[in-house]
Amino acid sequence: MALGLAAAWSRALLKSTGSVRAIELEAGGASFELAGGQRFAAQLAGRRYVNRFMVALPVQAPARRTVLVTLDMLGDESFRVLRIWALWGKLPQVAPKQLPA
């Protein structure tokens, strides 16, 4: 029972100092900010699981873990950007100038 409560506290409730609080997307990878205030650039695995309800980002280095982000954790636009980045490795951008009609 105590082990289950400890696991729920650190993983499900994200109360551990090692819990991910922010993800900063970059063209080549991502940086994570933990609840304890630490920041690190992560090397992500090539395979990522993306659907309309969740994104799973397997981190290879510096620690092997999987970061799971669900639809209700972010706003609609932020979650859309995360899904595009996880699928294509690029952030969506607006064209510098409009094409002629």
Side-chain angles (χ1 to χ4, degrees):
M1 177 83 159
L3 183 58
L5 287 173
W9 179 263
S10 68
R11 292 184 179 88
L13 298 176
L14 302 175
K15 299 293 184 181
S16 170
T17 57
S19 298
V20 175
R21 291 290 181 211
I23 302 172
E24 188 174 311
L25 302 177
E26 303 164 356
S31 296
F32 294 96
E33 182 178 335
L34 303 180
Q38 302 162 329
R39 295 182 65 90
F40 64 91
Q43 178 184 356
L44 300 174
R47 296 185 68 174
R48 300 169 191 147
Y49 183 75
V50 179
N51 68 26
R52 63 186 218 188
F53 301 111
M54 61 172 260
V55 175
L57 301 171
V59 178
Q60 291 182 332
R64 291 186 58 92
R65 65 190 297 180
T66 299
V67 176
L68 180 69
V69 181
T70 60
L71 175 62
D72 61 346
M73 290 178 165
L74 299 172
D76 292 339
E77 182 62 22
S78 297
F79 190 69
R80 184 185 77 79
V81 169
L82 177 64
R83 286 177 43 211
I84 290 171
W85 177 84
L87 286 171
W88 300 104
K90 297 180 182 178
L91 295 172
Q93 297 179 353
V94 177
K97 64 180 188 178
Q98 195 172 12
L99 298 174

